[in-house]
Amino acid sequence: MSSLINNQFNSRPRTIASAKGVWLTDLDDNRYLDGSSGAVVVNIGHGDEYVSRAVADQLSRVSFTHRGAFTSRRAEQLADRLCTMTGYAGAWFVNSGSEAVEAAMQFALQYFRETNRSEHTWFLSHKAGYHGNPLGSLSTSGHARRAAVGSLAFPFPVLPTPYAFRDAQGITDAEYAGMLLTEARALIEQHANHLAGIVIEPVGGATLGATVPPDGYLQGIRRLCDEFGILLIADEVMTGLGRTGSVLAVDHWDMRPDIVVLGKGLGAGYTPVAGALVSEELLEAIAVGSGRILGGHTYAGNPLSMATALAVLDVVQRDGLVERAKRTGEYLAEGLEQVRDRHPFVADARGLGMLRALEFDRAAFELGQGVVTKMVTDVAMGHGLMLYGTTGGMNDAVLVAPPLTIARDEVDFLIDALDRTLTQLQRTESSPKSSSVQPAFGASGAVRA
């Protein structure tokens, strides 16, 4: 019995022995296609030799310096690279996406203090979204994990969530965007005298599953922020650096937040690293004010993580993975739409680039929230496919977001394994109240190495 604490006390996850490209191999030599890049992290695939060499080289030189005493060439190079790619003025590095959202909120609060408006301390966010585990970012999250802190979370008001599948039936994108923006304006007007910013995911992630806002919505939020003098923070922890087929997801709508948060794809699973990209206006306000950032983390900006992230970006740019994500994403979308059309209990197929999702009609199984998602992910594992189920407690869906390096024949395997998974589950509809569908391991299950 291991002393390791897992999320589920009554389950023991499989142990992975090795990983290469889009494939994971466990201790029993079963292979699984990583259909979700872990938790939408491994953008450049597993076991990249170029990144491994960069890690080893940096490790042989220096792995840690304290940012309060030293900088490093790698940290400066990474900041310059990211700002050149995105057009932002500065980059602030931390260790995780949660910390990066928290840092972005602190930047916003400090900006208002530096400009003599310290009463601006509240944030708006979407009713259904996820921005991290610390208290501040969790307070902007409409997510099941919020229950862990209960009344400790700040009672920030919430914006309606763009969720076209449920809320926009029978109306145009323009009409739907208009409805959302009308509600947003009313809420901003009500709280304008103490708002610091709005925190949003440009494309929904772990809570609802790859929900794409209607055209005009994000631009409208940007205009409202400008009108009322508040800041816009884009949480691109999941979407940033190519996942949606553009460097930043907001690029699809030609709009520019004041702060952009990066995470998962920056380290791509090779190191814990994240960051906040900050506009020139914010940095200038701090520079002419106190001239000092009040936050910071011990391991933030360490040379080993900086060198690793630089190597990840080298691979992204060298292999044209942003454009590749756009092309492969279109091919993946076609396959998922065909799967949806073949299986009546698949209610929706949606997404952008290589961030895709299927949502299920759990009423077809007469089961509670989250049960169908768990059935799908368990059975898919038996067919050699790893998927990432939504965790927000608001729907039953799975994210389909393989590494941006995936080949077309591997996409075909993904679609076929998903189709076999849903076919197996569909057979249970005649006994809809049974949630004990077993994965089909062995000859008909996970692929033998």
Side-chain angles (χ1 to χ4, degrees):
M1 188 70 167
S2 172
S3 300
L4 179 67
I5 300 172
N6 291 308
N7 285 82
Q8 296 292 336
F9 275 44
N10 60 349
S11 68
R12 182 174 174 80
R14 296 163 183 81
T15 301
I16 294 300
S18 63
K20 188 70 175 176
V22 301
W23 294 96
L24 303 161
T25 305
D26 69 16
L27 290 177
D28 297 319
D29 286 334
N30 293 311
R31 296 177 74 211
Y32 310 88
L33 190 145
D34 190 350
S36 57
S37 303
V40 197
V41 174
V42 191
N43 282 11
I44 66 168
H46 298 271
D48 186 277
E49 293 179 2
Y50 176 82
V51 176
S52 297
R53 289 194 299 270
V55 172
D57 177 69
Q58 186 62 45
L59 191 59
S60 71
R61 298 171 186 270
V62 56
S63 60
F64 177 80
T65 56
H66 182 239
R67 69 190 301 165
F70 299 100
T71 186
S72 75
R73 190 163 60 93
R74 296 304 188 200
E76 293 176 357
Q77 288 174 331
L78 181 60
D80 289 345
R81 177 83 67 87
L82 287 170
C83 289
T84 298
M85 290 174 68
T86 62
Y88 280 85
W92 175 263
F93 295 116
V94 291
N95 307 303
S96 71
S98 293
E99 289 178 5
V101 173
E102 201 84 0
M105 294 172 70
Q106 291 181 23
F107 266 106
L109 293 173
Q110 185 170 351
Y111 168 76
F112 281 101
R113 287 197 304 272
E114 302 277 7
T115 54
N116 299 313
R117 293 174 289 170
S118 57
E119 70 278 7
H120 288 259
T121 59
W122 280 37
F123 293 88
L124 295 180
S125 58
H126 287 144
K127 184 176 182 179
Y130 179 64
H131 301 289
N133 275 312
L135 197 55
S137 53
L138 198 57
S139 297
T140 61
S141 301
H143 190 281
R145 288 184 182 176
R146 187 170 173 142
V149 298
S151 61
L152 287 177
F154 297 106
F156 295 143
V158 291
L159 297 165
T161 306
Y163 193 7
F165 168 66
R166 285 195 183 170
D167 301 330
Q169 303 302 315
I171 60 175
T172 66
D173 264 13
E175 291 169 333
Y176 185 41
M179 289 170 51
L180 293 168
L181 291 170
T182 296
E183 292 186 54
R185 171 179 286 278
L187 195 62
I188 292 170
E189 287 176 344
Q190 183 181 349
H191 298 282
N193 63 343
H194 52 261
L195 279 180
I198 296 177
V199 184
I200 57 171
E201 296 170 290
V203 179
T207 305
L208 295 179
T211 45
V212 180
D215 287 340
Y217 173 71
L218 292 178
Q219 299 97 317
I221 291 292
R222 174 71 271 180
R223 289 193 296 271
L224 286 170
C225 287
D226 291 340
E227 179 182 345
F228 288 92
I230 57 179
L231 302 178
L232 180 57
I233 299 170
D235 178 351
E236 296 233 18
V237 169
M238 188 174 284
T239 56
L241 301 177
R243 172 56 61 181
T244 66
S246 60
V247 174
L248 299 175
V250 293
D251 295 341
H252 290 283
W253 295 278
D254 193 25
M255 55 84 70
R256 189 173 180 79
D258 299 289
I259 305 174
V260 169
V261 177
L262 299 175
K264 297 172 183 286
L266 182 58
Y270 292 87
T271 188
V273 64
L277 304 177
V278 185
S279 71
E280 185 173 359
E281 179 184 351
L282 265 71
L283 293 181
E284 180 66 19
I286 296 171
V288 301
S290 66
R292 181 168 177 255
I293 306 297
L294 299 177
H297 299 268
T298 299
Y299 277 96
N302 72 85
L304 185 58
S305 287
M306 299 294 95
T308 306
L310 268 172
V312 168
L313 291 183
D314 284 344
V315 173
V316 169
Q317 294 182 311
R318 180 197 70 197
D319 296 344
L321 293 185
V322 176
E323 178 59 30
R324 185 169 169 178
K326 181 180 178 180
R327 295 195 309 271
T328 308
E330 293 170 354
Y331 186 68
L332 177 62
E334 291 174 5
L336 292 175
E337 287 164 4
Q338 291 169 8
V339 167
R340 176 201 61 198
D341 294 343
R342 283 196 294 269
H343 299 279
F345 70 92
V346 178
D348 193 28
R350 57 176 177 259
L352 191 62
M354 290 288 282
L355 181 62
R356 300 280 168 179
L358 295 180
E359 181 167 341
F360 308 108
D361 178 10
R362 66 175 180 269
F365 290 83
E366 299 180 20
L367 295 170
Q369 169 65 51
V371 177
V372 177
T373 296
K374 182 68 163 57
M375 289 164 59
V376 171
T377 55
D378 284 353
V379 174
M381 199 77 82
H383 289 287
L385 175 63
M386 177 187 169
L387 299 170
Y388 185 55
T390 52
T391 56
M394 298 181 183
N395 66 10
D396 276 81
V398 291
L399 284 168
V400 184
L404 311 186
T405 55
I406 192 170
R408 285 205 169 197
D409 62 329
E410 292 167 331
V411 174
D412 293 339
F413 175 93
L414 186 159
I415 295 298
D416 180 65
L418 183 55
D419 189 53
R420 285 184 281 117
T421 295
L422 300 180
T423 296
Q424 182 178 340
L425 283 169
Q426 201 162 319
R427 295 193 193 107
T428 71
E429 282 195 69
S430 58
S431 302
K433 294 186 180 179
S434 171
S435 61
S436 58
V437 179
Q438 296 299 313
F441 289 102
S444 61
V447 183
R448 285 284 177 178

